[in-house]
């Protein structure tokens, strides 16, 4: 197994396709599994539609409705109004992905891309641990 | 690692137990991990209760309340009112599962079944990439 | 691959950091992947913030708002008002985690801890299947 860390540049709050950031840094074996692990608690990674940019805008809108900011019931408010909702949104999408590798390529569906879900207003750079299992 | 694709037949919108569709096509090793990866962005797979059918009806009801259709804030509307909510619901449940194999059987809990979560009105057939790691 | 089951003691309803319960029972290899699989359908496991206890209180509050109890639309009510919401919350956070192991340690981020999300009022003890891949 090969393992290394990719440091993503800071992204604006929102949902971003990061395929290009990842894949030019990853050499795939013929067959196996690619595991991605985001080392943070207020951002997430998931798979979704890789074509129409308005899909990612709608993701941001709906996640803000699912977990609204500034509600009086939050107790963890010290780090800003975006922080606690960011933790919960991150738990909803998750922090890791495992994708099959077949014939030297990721076995993603036609419309599947990899999203970085940046839930903080100023999240800064984010680290992804890459583990490549060949087999 | 053995890898192959299972094509599921079209399912109605809703939550469906697909254990039988999967397991008669998968020969398990004595020990290892089974990885399932759904190659789509408007359906998901997850694990949940495998007994009472009303559980899956309630899942459909609650997911429709979590991500309602036809709201004026959606921008990605070209593919129908069910499409954008389907993408978001799919991100909430996820597209892959990894299940331990012990003594030649999946180490599922007593009440655990595998759900296909079909979020489109006419989703059509869906592909799952199966990866079986023996070890 | 080494595989075994850890039985967690009963936890109160809510979100609980279980790192200590897990790690004194798990010997890690130099490199590889740790897979955790919760064998239940009304509890989940996820990764989130490991420092301020009010974060876990806010998680409980917000999940109860996302999937409210006692609503008239639930059909699966036989096992108590907390049961059906627990199934849905569990599907939202998921039942398994896969974490890289690098240099003999889990490659968790500084603020990442492992949560048991107990969604039942009286969930009882919960089993986690541990699979350790060395490679």
């Amino acid at each position: 197994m090969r393992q290394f860390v990719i440091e993503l540049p800071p992204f604006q709050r929102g949902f971003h396709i990061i395929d290009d950031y990842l894949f030019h840094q990853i050499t795939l074996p013929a067959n196996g599994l690619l595991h991605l692990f985001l080392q943070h608690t207020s951002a997430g990674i998931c798979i979704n539609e890789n074509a129409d940019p308005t899909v990612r805008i709608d993701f941001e809108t709906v996640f803000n409705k699912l977990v609204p900011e500034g509600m009086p019931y939050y107790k963890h408010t010290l780090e800003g109004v975006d922080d606690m909702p960011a933790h919960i949104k991150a738990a909803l999408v998750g922090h890791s992905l495992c994708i099959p590798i077949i014939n030297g390529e990721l076995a993603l569906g036609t419309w599947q891309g990899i999203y970085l879900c940046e839930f903080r207003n100023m999240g800064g750079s984010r680290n992804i641990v890459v583990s490549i299992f060949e087999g």
Side-chain angles (χ1 to χ4, degrees), chain A residues 1-39:
Chain A
M1 180 174 296
R2 278 181 293 137
Q3 293 179 305
F4 53 95
V5 177
I6 291 178
E7 182 180 336
L8 295 175
F11 280 88
Q12 282 193 317
R13 177 168 165 164
F15 293 73
H16 307 276
I17 298 178
I18 56 169
D19 294 29
D20 290 345
Y21 289 90
L22 297 175
F23 299 155
H24 80 276
Q25 299 187 56
I26 298 177
T27 307
L28 296 176
N31 291 278
L33 288 168
L34 172 68
H35 184 257
L36 303 174
F37 183 83
L38 186 73
Q39 292 183 304

Side-chain angles (χ1 to χ4, degrees), chain A residues 60-105:
Chain A
E60 175 68 13
T61 303
V62 173
F63 270 74
N64 290 336
K65 292 187 181 295
L66 280 170
V67 190
E69 287 183 12
M71 304 302 279
Y73 45 74
Y74 289 118
K75 295 186 183 302
H76 178 79
T77 54
L78 198 65
E79 299 180 65
V81 292
D82 58 320
D83 184 65
M84 190 60 226
H87 289 307
I88 293 167
K89 293 167 181 173
L92 294 176
V93 297
H95 301 88
S96 78
L97 293 173
C98 190
I99 304 170
I101 304 162
I102 297 182
N103 296 329
E105 297 194 346

Side-chain angles (χ1 to χ4, degrees), chain A residues 8 14-19 22 38 44-57 59 93-94 97 111-118 128:
Chain A
L8 295 175
F15 293 73
H16 307 276
I17 298 178
I18 56 169
D19 294 29
L22 297 175
L38 186 73
I45 50 175
C46 70
I47 285 175
N48 221 278
E49 205 260 25
N50 60 11
D52 180 356
T54 63
V55 169
R56 275 103 70 196
I57 294 171
F59 261 92
V93 297
L97 293 173
W111 304 105
Q112 289 186 319
I114 300 174
Y115 283 17
L116 174 74
C117 316
E118 178 53 75
I128 291 180

